[in-house]
Amino acid sequence: MDASLESLCAASETVPLLHNGQHSRGQSPERVLQPQAAPRQRVQRSQPVSILAVRRLQEEDLHLRTSSLPAIPNPFPELCGPGSPPALTPGSLPPGPAAAKQDVKVFSEDGTSKVVEILADMTARDLCQLLVYRSHCVDDNSWALVEHHPHLGLERCLEDHELVVQVESTMASESKFLFRKNYAKYEFFKNPMNFFPEQMVTWCQQSNGSHTQLLQNFLNSSSCPEIQGFLHVKELGRKSWKKLYVCLRRSGLYCSTKGASKEPRHLQLLADLEDSSIFSLIAGRKQYSAPTDYGFCIKPNRVRNEAKELRLLCAEDEQSRTCWMTACRLLKYGMLLYQNYRIPQQRKAMLSHFSTPVRSVSENSLVAMDFSGQTGRVIENPAEAQSAALEEGHAWRKRSTRMNILGSQSPLHPSALSTVIHRTQHWFHGRISREESHRIIKQQGLVDGLFLLRDSQSNPKAFVLTLCHHQKIKNFQILPCEDDGQTFFSLDDGNTKFSDLIQLVDFYQLNKGVLPCRLKHHCIRVAL
């Protein structure tokens, strides 16, 4: 349209007259100017159309205007010139305000902290990736930012899409952010059977509900799954707890005033999930006299330090608590959680075409290989893999002995080195108690294969493997044994022996052996 207007104006200005002022083709001025006057009156570039009523109003306003008020200049003079383009030139507008920044203090598991300057629109996922990059960790999409309230005894993992600055505005002064692993963040998308027992799930409408369709109905706003069961509920403003029949719906959490009846006249609203968050109780028995160790809390976002407005609940076991808390997250956020789960996988698929992604031992299955021939082959027989591991351990001992003979800087004897080399691994946590190891496992997610190693408190020469399986924590003692004057380590009374704990962990990452499952994820603590 602008091009047509420019051609029209150019034709009207250049065609009628020649350079000497004579009209072309002997035509009279009247015949040439009359057809050209109509377009010039009808349209002008970057100028308003002249309307007589507007001019009359402007003249009346000019008479009524007082002399004390200064005339307002035209703020866009460049748009009114006949030779100026209607578009604004670069730099004519003032620069926009810079993005707001804020300092956030984040603590790690060992008590160290780091102050990070973030933007106001930074999400929890973005901050975790920034901390992973600065701490030189492996980014396996299992890191989480934890909102910790020591005064209330509550904590929860922020969802990946939540804004960090917005969450911090609802926290008290003594509250803080923690940076830790959480392998169970999206585990319910991978294995919903372990999270939603059949007896706890019902349907409000007639539906072909099954566990395969359960997550789809949670994510679909039109369907209405329901979680039901008995919970211990703490009365508001009192120390007493009552065991009530509770059901969770999209409209909120309800309790029945008459047994297990779910009639509308017997249901009473306990809490609304719209403006609330779901927290775990850190020490429910000690702080709130909870009847069990499996407590959780629905905390309104407006509450900072007032424990009277908290809706405290307790389940009978860990699976029930996980089911209730996961259902609350799904009903509150819905499709956002699934999008958060899919984003890392989509990024990994996109990067796989250009570069090799960073591999994590905890996220990828290890395969025993034999490179003795011209080409490598996969060792599928567990017995052969065990003998290969032992041979590799003996070869490593010979290499370390030869290095010591040749004057290595290591003052340790090979036999002594095998007893301390495991202390350099992330999965070894030293002299911690059984209770502390269980607490770390629970904090980093009760998923199958999550483990750590520690020193045994009962036997100074032994070690303990703490392993999670089916949301239960089990302990296995690792005992030293001698064979031909050499010290080995074994989990099964000497049937399977290893030169050091590193070989033992590598073997049970490939084969479960006497364990209920293979070692998959290791608990790790990083220093910020």
Side-chain angles (χ1 to χ4, degrees), residues 8 12 26-27 80 112 124 134 187 230 245 289-290 301 321 351 373 399 404 426 453 460-461 463 470 476 518 525:
L8 179 62
S12 63
Q27 297 180 358
C80 299
T112 60
R134 294 187 177 182
E187 189 70 16
F230 283 94
Y245 188 80
S289 301
N301 295 333
R321 178 173 71 167
L351 292 176
R399 288 195 300 269
N404 287 332
H426 292 296
L453 268 72
K461 297 182 179 181
F463 303 93
H470 287 174
F476 302 89
R518 293 187 302 172
R525 288 182 172 183

Side-chain angles (χ1 to χ4, degrees), residues 136-195:
H136 307 285
C137 304
V138 177
D139 188 9
D140 53 3
N141 301 307
S142 60
W143 294 97
L145 197 65
V146 179
E147 179 184 355
H148 181 74
H149 298 273
H151 178 71
L152 298 176
L154 307 175
E155 67 179 23
R156 75 175 180 101
C157 290
L158 269 67
E159 305 297 344
D160 286 338
H161 65 272
E162 290 189 78
L163 299 179
V164 179
V165 175
Q166 183 177 355
V167 174
E168 190 181 33
S169 63
T170 63
M171 297 169 55
S173 58
E174 68 273 6
S175 302
K176 57 185 178 180
F177 286 124
L178 301 176
F179 179 61
R180 73 161 69 122
K181 284 276 190 179
N182 183 16
Y183 294 103
K185 185 164 52 173
Y186 299 117
E187 189 70 16
F188 51 87
F189 285 120
K190 305 174 184 177
N191 194 5
M193 294 289 292
N194 293 341
F195 285 82

Side-chain angles (χ1 to χ4, degrees), residues 332-347:
K332 181 178 180 180
Y333 298 108
M335 187 57 70
L336 276 175
L337 290 185
Y338 185 72
Q339 293 175 357
N340 295 340
Y341 165 68
R342 291 291 299 168
I343 284 177
Q345 299 181 356
Q346 295 172 356
R347 290 180 179 177

Side-chain angles (χ1 to χ4, degrees), residues 147-149 154-156 276-281 295-299 301 325:
E147 179 184 355
H148 181 74
H149 298 273
L154 307 175
E155 67 179 23
R156 75 175 180 101
S276 303
S277 300
I278 314 301
F279 287 80
S280 298
L281 292 183
F296 62 100
C297 169
I298 300 178
K299 171 183 170 296
N301 295 333
M325 296 183 65

Side-chain angles (χ1 to χ4, degrees), residues 410-443:
S410 175
L412 295 175
H413 192 268
S415 60
L417 186 61
S418 63
T419 61
V420 296
I421 192 173
H422 53 268
R423 300 187 181 275
T424 62
Q425 304 301 307
H426 292 296
W427 38 257
F428 188 77
H429 289 248
R431 298 187 61 83
I432 61 174
S433 62
R434 175 190 291 256
E435 292 75 15
E436 179 69 11
S437 64
H438 289 198
R439 187 183 67 85
I440 295 175
I441 293 285
K442 292 179 180 178
Q443 286 179 348

Side-chain angles (χ1 to χ4, degrees), residues 307-411:
K308 296 181 179 180
E309 300 187 38
L310 301 178
R311 179 57 72 180
L312 302 176
L313 307 106
C314 273
E316 293 293 341
D317 51 24
E318 185 63 47
Q319 186 181 21
S320 300
R321 178 173 71 167
T322 305
C323 178
W324 285 103
M325 296 183 65
T326 304
C328 289
R329 292 174 59 197
L330 286 170
L331 289 179
K332 181 178 180 180
Y333 298 108
M335 187 57 70
L336 276 175
L337 290 185
Y338 185 72
Q339 293 175 357
N340 295 340
Y341 165 68
R342 291 291 299 168
I343 284 177
Q345 299 181 356
Q346 295 172 356
R347 290 180 179 177
K348 184 178 180 180
M350 293 175 59
L351 292 176
S352 62
H353 299 286
F354 303 98
S355 61
T356 304
V358 178
R359 297 179 62 87
S360 173
V361 175
S362 61
E363 292 293 334
N364 298 273
S365 59
L366 301 176
V367 180
M369 299 291 295
D370 178 21
F371 296 99
S372 58
Q374 295 182 355
T375 59
R377 67 179 181 90
V378 178
I379 302 177
E380 298 181 355
N381 188 1
E384 186 179 359
Q386 175 187 352
S387 61
L390 291 176
E391 291 178 2
E392 183 181 355
H394 292 314
W396 172 80
R397 283 174 174 273
K398 292 179 180 179
R399 288 195 300 269
S400 61
T401 305
R402 185 165 56 252
M403 290 296 296
N404 287 332
I405 295 175
L406 295 177
S408 173
Q409 296 180 357
S410 175

